[in-house]
Amino acid sequence: MLDAQPGSRTAASDPPRVASVALEDMQLTFGTHLCAFYQTAEGRLKLGVPFLVSGLRDGDACFVVASPTATRALREGLLDPALGGLQAQELDDLTLHPGSADPLAMLDWFHGAFMRESARGRKCRVLGDMACFLEAGASIDAVLAFESRYDQGLARQFAVLSLCQYDSRAFSGVEVVAALRCHADTFEYPLARFLGP
């Protein structure tokens, strides 16, 4: 089992906040911002489903930013007895957003959501399927600017675990490398764990 450095990404006044996330037995600290890559329907679910299942079962506020197609696939995976095994009513706690042509506008949306959940004493999880921004009309430069600002700001300021998934069929090799640069936390773990089929 791998351990992130407890408290390494949280405010100095906060105690270490560690979550046992069912991502191949990795221990992730709140304040961690990771990325994963997939190229098949099954690959989209490999980390996304266990990430959300453990968050919903732990009582975390769970946010999914994804296209309707990706959201539908994730919901089916969460309800599949062989994958997520959740009941339909458990999905009521998911907050869904389809993405935006202006990804930077999402920073304000996330800030408000994280503030509300923090005031309730809840931790947060974000699963972003990043192709949704391209589908909404955003440029790759806007997506990467969002990722960089989120990584340097909100991801570190709140008790939030963030997993951004990239469909490698929708992004060039250069764009994949640029995305990795916005997710340095990913390098604390074997990269193979974040490469889906």
Side-chain angles (χ1 to χ4, degrees):
M1 189 138 53
L2 297 176
D3 292 317
Q5 295 301 314
S8 62
R9 300 293 189 183
T10 57
S13 61
D14 291 342
R17 297 170 291 200
V18 177
S20 292
V21 181
L23 296 180
E24 301 183 19
D25 297 323
M26 290 183 285
Q27 293 289 320
L28 304 177
T29 304
F30 280 93
T32 300
H33 181 212
L34 303 165
C35 67
F37 302 90
Y38 67 87
Q39 56 189 348
T40 65
E42 295 78 20
R44 171 183 279 141
L45 305 181
K46 177 186 176 232
L47 296 179
V49 167
F51 181 81
L52 292 171
V53 166
S54 61
L56 291 167
R57 288 188 172 152
D58 287 350
D60 297 341
C62 293
F63 301 87
V64 175
V65 180
S67 70
T69 300
T71 298
R72 197 163 34 253
L74 285 164
R75 288 178 63 90
E76 289 171 4
L78 291 168
L79 295 172
D80 186 325
L83 293 176
L86 296 179
Q87 300 300 311
Q89 67 270 18
E90 294 178 276
L91 302 190
D92 292 344
D93 288 334
L94 284 176
T95 299
L96 307 176
H97 195 293
S100 168
D102 180 9
L104 290 173
M106 294 283 303
L107 294 171
D108 288 336
W109 184 80
F110 274 125
H111 185 267
F114 295 166
M115 288 288 287
R116 282 190 301 276
E117 297 304 335
S118 293
R120 296 175 185 151
R122 295 180 79 193
K123 298 183 289 292
C124 300
R125 299 202 190 187
V126 173
L127 178 69
D129 197 283
M130 304 309 288
C132 71
F133 291 110
L134 300 182
E135 292 175 28
S139 69
I140 186 62
D141 290 339
V143 173
L144 295 172
F146 163 81
E147 287 278 38
S148 181
R149 288 182 58 185
Y150 181 89
D151 185 68
Q152 295 167 16
L154 297 174
R156 314 303 179 189
Q157 296 166 358
F158 292 92
V160 56
L161 284 172
S162 308
L163 176 62
C164 300
Q165 297 197 132
Y166 285 81
D167 184 340
S168 58
R169 298 165 295 186
F171 296 88
S172 72
V174 171
E175 292 163 354
V176 164
V177 170
L180 278 166
R181 287 193 180 115
C182 298
H183 298 84
D185 293 341
T186 307
F187 295 104
E188 295 182 22
Y189 306 94
L191 188 56
R193 293 183 181 215
F194 299 97
L195 302 177

